[in-house]
Amino acid sequence: MTPITEVEGRRLALSNLDKVLYPASGFTKGEVLHYYATIADVLLPHLRDRPVSFLRYPDGPDGQVFFTKNVPPGTPEWVTTAEVPRSEGPARMVLVQDLASLMWAANLVTEFHTPQWVVQEAEAADRIVFDLDPGSPATVVECCEVALWLRERLAADGIEAYAKTSGSKGLHL
């Protein structure tokens, strides 16, 4: 039986909570949902008003992997969506605006991908991401050194930069 929970007055069906999503650590989908709920106050400002693409792997990390860009079938009516310009024509995409929609989306997916612009101003990026990945001969240590140098250089131009991990091996600034 699929557990039902209530988040901000919205009823959510949560599925496969014991499914291991990260085999090396044994981290389960239920633990991922708990993590997202715990960090929601910090995460939501980075998602708000940005259309979200989902990286999904319904059979776990060793199964089929695919992106979902359009609003998935069965999306609750209370989840905010918006028409978004794309090269192949406009599409309707999800906007993760609150804790309830974050928990709904996290129950479907493993990763969220957002553009560098908000839906109200799709023609103007409001942030830039430097993707620093190790590769021979550079290690993650050199990536960190580059990030520190780049952060100082950007600060000299009045731009505040923040580092975050990026997937399995690198970092974003």
Side-chain angles (χ1 to χ4, degrees):
M1 186 160 122
T2 301
I4 304 289
T5 191
E6 188 172 304
V7 178
E8 296 180 332
R10 308 288 189 186
R11 290 176 48 86
L12 297 172
L14 302 178
S15 61
N16 304 311
L17 297 177
D18 293 329
K19 181 191 292 184
V20 175
L21 296 180
Y22 300 96
S25 65
F27 211 68
T28 66
K29 183 178 177 183
E31 290 169 313
V32 169
L33 287 167
H34 180 262
Y35 175 73
Y36 278 136
T38 302
I39 66 159
D41 288 343
V42 176
L43 178 61
L44 283 169
H46 297 282
L47 297 174
R48 190 165 286 113
D49 295 331
R50 296 182 191 280
V52 178
S53 296
F54 305 123
L55 179 62
R56 300 180 68 178
Y57 36 94
D59 300 319
D62 296 327
Q64 178 188 12
V65 177
F66 62 94
F67 272 99
T68 299
K69 293 186 178 187
N70 297 318
V71 175
T75 298
E77 64 184 39
W78 49 264
V79 171
T80 303
T81 64
E83 188 170 283
V84 175
R86 293 194 9 214
S87 59
E88 59 273 5
R92 183 144 296 274
M93 296 178 72
V94 169
L95 302 178
V96 175
Q97 303 292 76
D98 53 32
L99 180 60
S101 59
L102 175 64
M103 292 296 92
W104 166 80
N107 186 60
L108 296 178
V109 305
T110 303
E111 294 179 20
F112 301 115
H113 293 255
T114 61
Q116 308 314 317
W117 43 267
V118 293
V119 72
Q120 298 87 340
E121 297 182 53
E123 66 286 343
D126 65 339
R127 63 184 183 186
I128 187 169
V129 176
F130 295 93
D131 187 5
L132 305 170
D133 290 329
S136 184
T139 68
V140 73
V141 173
E142 284 84 15
C143 290
C144 291
E145 291 170 354
V146 169
L148 288 170
W149 176 85
L150 190 52
R151 185 177 68 174
E152 289 174 13
R153 178 61 188 91
L154 291 167
D157 289 337
I159 300 170
E160 196 169 7
Y162 303 91
K164 70 175 195 72
T165 58
S166 66
S168 64
K169 62 181 180 174
L171 62 115
H172 285 169
L173 187 69

